[in-house]
Amino acid sequence: MLSYVFLNNAQQRAYHNAKLVEAYVVVKAVPATLDGTQAINGGYIKHQKIPQQFRPTSAVDQAVEH
């Protein structure tokens, strides 16, 4: 528990209290055969909070329903 608190505080200090925004981040190469749900369930894409300054301008703002 102490390690978690220390690492979480270190990350916050590294971000200099930047505004965090929600994002889906690709953490490993996604095979072309997977759809979005499969990629998320398979651990290829993770939901995270990242500093707003690192959010790409091309990021999708909302999920698109088909």
Side-chain angles (χ1 to χ4, degrees), residues 2-43:
L2 191 56
S3 295
Y4 172 80
V5 171
F6 173 78
L7 292 173
N8 189 44
N9 288 340
Q11 185 173 18
Q12 291 302 320
R13 286 190 306 273
Y15 291 158
H16 300 289
N17 294 322
K19 179 180 178 186
L20 298 179
V21 294
E22 294 186 17
Y24 285 94
V25 179
V26 176
V27 294
K28 56 184 175 180
V30 180
T33 57
L34 297 183
D35 65 25
T37 301
Q38 292 170 325
I40 291 170
N41 291 340

